[in-house]
Tab-separated table of all heavy atoms in Angstrom:
chain	number	residue	atom	x	y	z
C	77	ALA	N	113.637	-35.955	-124.556
C	77	ALA	CA	112.236	-35.562	-124.887
C	77	ALA	C	111.656	-34.992	-123.624
C	77	ALA	O	112.202	-35.156	-122.463
C	77	ALA	CB	111.365	-36.820	-125.268
C	79	ASN	N	109.194	-35.599	-121.735
C	79	ASN	CA	108.688	-36.501	-120.750
C	79	ASN	C	109.806	-37.283	-120.060
C	79	ASN	O	109.530	-38.182	-119.307
C	79	ASN	CB	107.619	-37.453	-121.313
C	79	ASN	CG	108.316	-38.587	-122.295
C	79	ASN	OD1	109.517	-38.361	-122.730
C	79	ASN	ND2	107.568	-39.573	-122.562
C	80	GLY	N	111.013	-36.878	-120.308
C	80	GLY	CA	112.177	-37.497	-119.679
C	80	GLY	C	112.916	-38.551	-120.399
C	80	GLY	O	113.968	-39.041	-119.961
C	81	ALA	N	112.411	-39.047	-121.547
C	81	ALA	CA	113.142	-39.984	-122.394
C	81	ALA	C	114.454	-39.417	-122.822
C	81	ALA	O	114.591	-38.224	-123.200
C	81	ALA	CB	112.215	-40.379	-123.600
C	82	ARG	N	115.454	-40.238	-122.808
C	82	ARG	CA	116.837	-39.828	-123.187
C	82	ARG	C	117.506	-40.874	-124.018
C	82	ARG	O	117.460	-42.060	-123.657
C	82	ARG	CB	117.722	-39.456	-122.023
C	82	ARG	CG	119.052	-38.798	-122.485
C	82	ARG	CD	119.883	-38.251	-121.201
C	82	ARG	NE	120.505	-39.340	-120.524
C	82	ARG	CZ	121.518	-39.020	-119.691
C	82	ARG	NH1	121.945	-37.777	-119.446
C	82	ARG	NH2	122.180	-39.987	-119.005
C	83	VAL	N	118.050	-40.428	-125.193
C	83	VAL	CA	118.872	-41.270	-126.087
C	83	VAL	C	120.246	-40.800	-126.119
C	83	VAL	O	120.493	-39.618	-126.404
C	83	VAL	CB	118.208	-41.317	-127.521
C	83	VAL	CG1	119.179	-42.077	-128.513
C	83	VAL	CG2	116.849	-41.939	-127.511
C	133	LEU	N	104.856	-38.575	-136.525
C	133	LEU	CA	105.936	-37.667	-136.066
C	133	LEU	C	106.652	-37.077	-137.219
C	133	LEU	O	107.048	-37.771	-138.234
C	133	LEU	CB	107.039	-38.462	-135.187
C	133	LEU	CG	106.613	-38.960	-133.845
C	133	LEU	CD1	107.485	-39.976	-133.230
C	133	LEU	CD2	106.551	-37.724	-132.870
C	144	MET	N	114.825	-37.835	-133.231
C	144	MET	CA	113.633	-38.572	-133.540
C	144	MET	C	113.530	-39.763	-132.679
C	144	MET	O	112.416	-40.305	-132.298
C	144	MET	CB	113.610	-38.946	-135.063
C	144	MET	CG	112.391	-39.708	-135.580
C	144	MET	SD	110.817	-38.618	-135.353
C	144	MET	CE	110.937	-37.526	-136.704
C	145	ARG	N	114.680	-40.417	-132.405
C	145	ARG	CA	114.608	-41.661	-131.470
C	145	ARG	C	114.066	-41.286	-130.136
C	145	ARG	O	113.343	-42.073	-129.590
C	145	ARG	CB	116.005	-42.299	-131.494
C	145	ARG	CG	116.421	-43.025	-132.623
C	145	ARG	CD	117.602	-44.013	-132.481
C	145	ARG	NE	118.814	-43.308	-132.078
C	145	ARG	CZ	119.729	-42.861	-132.925
C	145	ARG	NH1	119.578	-42.842	-134.184
C	145	ARG	NH2	120.825	-42.226	-132.444
C	146	ALA	N	114.501	-40.128	-129.631
C	146	ALA	CA	113.965	-39.667	-128.317
C	146	ALA	C	112.466	-39.367	-128.459
C	146	ALA	O	111.686	-39.804	-127.577
C	146	ALA	CB	114.690	-38.383	-127.891
C	147	ALA	N	112.032	-38.858	-129.626
C	147	ALA	CA	110.620	-38.586	-129.753
C	147	ALA	C	109.824	-39.879	-129.831
C	147	ALA	O	108.754	-40.095	-129.262
C	147	ALA	CB	110.454	-37.865	-131.134
C	148	VAL	N	110.381	-40.932	-130.567
C	148	VAL	CA	109.701	-42.169	-130.627
C	148	VAL	C	109.629	-42.863	-129.218
C	148	VAL	O	108.580	-43.366	-128.914
C	148	VAL	CB	110.490	-43.133	-131.609
C	148	VAL	CG1	110.050	-44.592	-131.481
C	148	VAL	CG2	110.312	-42.655	-133.034
C	149	MET	N	110.677	-42.836	-128.506
C	149	MET	CA	110.653	-43.311	-127.131
C	149	MET	C	109.579	-42.736	-126.269
C	149	MET	O	108.872	-43.337	-125.538
C	149	MET	CB	112.036	-43.210	-126.509
C	149	MET	CG	112.157	-43.922	-125.117
C	149	MET	SD	113.836	-43.586	-124.364
C	149	MET	CE	114.885	-44.382	-125.587
C	150	GLY	N	109.535	-41.343	-126.394
C	150	GLY	CA	108.668	-40.610	-125.571
C	150	GLY	C	107.164	-40.909	-125.978
C	150	GLY	O	106.276	-40.991	-125.062
C	151	VAL	N	106.921	-40.950	-127.232
C	151	VAL	CA	105.504	-41.277	-127.665
C	151	VAL	C	105.111	-42.623	-127.384
C	151	VAL	O	103.978	-42.922	-126.955
C	151	VAL	CB	105.384	-40.841	-129.130
C	151	VAL	CG1	104.011	-41.284	-129.655
C	151	VAL	CG2	105.563	-39.328	-129.301
C	152	ARG	N	106.038	-43.534	-127.571
C	152	ARG	CA	105.714	-44.998	-127.328
C	152	ARG	C	105.214	-45.133	-125.921
C	152	ARG	O	104.326	-46.081	-125.646
C	152	ARG	CB	106.960	-45.907	-127.500
C	152	ARG	CG	107.314	-46.170	-128.949
C	152	ARG	CD	106.427	-47.342	-129.478
C	152	ARG	NE	106.870	-47.833	-130.819
C	152	ARG	CZ	106.013	-48.156	-131.745
C	152	ARG	NH1	104.713	-48.243	-131.423
C	152	ARG	NH2	106.328	-48.589	-132.839
C	153	SER	N	105.750	-44.422	-124.934
C	153	SER	CA	105.409	-44.600	-123.536
C	153	SER	C	103.951	-44.229	-123.247
C	153	SER	O	103.346	-44.416	-122.183
C	153	SER	CB	106.277	-43.788	-122.618
C	153	SER	OG	106.114	-42.442	-122.827
C	154	GLN	N	103.315	-43.528	-124.233
C	154	GLN	CA	101.941	-43.064	-124.137
C	154	GLN	C	100.941	-44.007	-124.888
C	154	GLN	O	99.782	-43.670	-124.995
C	154	GLN	CB	101.793	-41.663	-124.643
C	154	GLN	CG	102.781	-40.677	-123.913
C	154	GLN	CD	102.671	-39.309	-124.475
C	154	GLN	OE1	101.704	-38.618	-124.503
C	154	GLN	NE2	103.821	-38.763	-124.879
C	159	LEU	N	102.471	-45.832	-134.871
C	159	LEU	CA	103.525	-44.729	-134.825
C	159	LEU	C	104.067	-44.650	-136.203
C	159	LEU	O	104.723	-45.632	-136.733
C	159	LEU	CB	104.514	-44.933	-133.704
C	159	LEU	CG	105.411	-43.739	-133.417
C	159	LEU	CD1	104.684	-42.528	-133.145
C	159	LEU	CD2	106.304	-44.199	-132.289
C	177	GLN	N	111.889	-49.144	-135.771
C	177	GLN	CA	111.363	-48.657	-134.510
C	177	GLN	C	109.972	-48.226	-134.579
C	177	GLN	O	109.284	-47.978	-133.567
C	177	GLN	CB	112.173	-47.680	-133.832
C	177	GLN	CG	113.661	-48.092	-133.588
C	177	GLN	CD	114.495	-46.988	-132.986
C	177	GLN	OE1	113.982	-46.101	-132.390
C	177	GLN	NE2	115.798	-47.077	-133.128
Side-chain angles (χ1 to χ4, degrees):
N79 70 346
R82 186 170 81 161
V83 172
L133 285 168
M144 186 60 79
R145 287 197 297 275
V148 168
M149 186 184 300
V151 173
R152 279 279 186 218
S153 68
Q154 302 173 61
L159 191 52
Q177 300 179 24

